[in-house]
Amino acid sequence: MRIGVVAVQGAFAEHIAVLERMGISAFEIRQEKDLSGSIDGLILPGGESTVMKKLLRELCLYNPIKELINNGVPVFGTCAGMILLSEIIESGEESCFGTMNVTVKRNAYGRQLGSFRCIEKFDGNDIEMPFIRAPYITEVREDAEVLAVHEGRIVAVRQGNQLATAFHPELTDDNTVFNYFINMIKNRVK
Ligand code: GLN
């Protein structure tokens, strides 16, 4: 299994470290030619979504990545990565891939509460969730399903081949969310 981690900006190294810890082969996606080999899964890390959006276009990664997502390659977006997948951004700014039928609110916890950790259930398991200037989901539509909620706000969603979390599981020792993603890859019907 080969998982590509988009490495144009943000917390990509942390995702690669988790995958290596799990014995899964991971590689960085920095330019179009990095997408030429086989790819079983894709990770969009946290960072700054506006910067990533711009760089993905400039580096000609936007179209090939959108095509992979539309072709059913499992994709996992954390934090800024969740924003990139969301169809609607509440502030009215233009969406990026927009492949998940959800509305997202950026920097949704305000400046004071920008960063915090909590324990909540993800798909039925208690896990630690680190939030960093995080978004949350304000609406899910069509077949997008809610996987985790914190204080009444949606912080993890799944829609077919797409998984997104407002928090950063790559900053904890718990592999629950990554195992969930790996199972999406294993169970993919090609
Ligand atoms: N606030 C960032 C954004 O809007 C996301 C923060 C993160 O990825 N940790 O893009």
Side-chain angles (χ1 to χ4, degrees), residues 21 25 42 64-65 70-72 114 117 130 132 144 175 184:
R21 175 176 91 199
S25 161
L42 196 63
I65 289 176
N70 285 337
N71 286 344
R117 284 178 185 247
I132 304 170
N175 291 344
M184 282 170 61

Side-chain angles (χ1 to χ4, degrees), residues 11 19 23 25 40 50-52 55 62 68 72 92 104-105 108-109 119 125 140 144 157 162 168 189:
L19 294 170
S25 161
D40 301 302
T50 50
V51 176
M52 274 198 241
L55 288 172
Y62 178 83
L68 288 171
V104 71
K105 183 174 161 78
Y109 294 93
I119 308 271
N125 303 298
V140 293
V157 282
Q162 304 177 76
H168 291 266
V189 185

Side-chain angles (χ1 to χ4, degrees), residues 45-50 52 78-81 83 106-107 132-135 168:
E48 180 53 45
S49 57
T50 50
M52 274 198 241
T78 55
C79 203
I83 297 166
R106 287 184 63 207
N107 300 316
I132 304 170
R133 291 177 294 105
H168 291 266

Side-chain angles (χ1 to χ4, degrees), residues 85-88 98-103 137 139-145 157 159 162:
L85 292 172
S86 298
E87 181 184 19
I88 297 175
T99 43
M100 273 192 132
N101 297 122
V102 299
T103 301
I137 298 292
E139 190 182 58
V140 293
R141 294 176 293 280
E142 299 187 33
D143 47 359
E145 77 181 280
V157 282
Q159 182 174 5
Q162 304 177 76

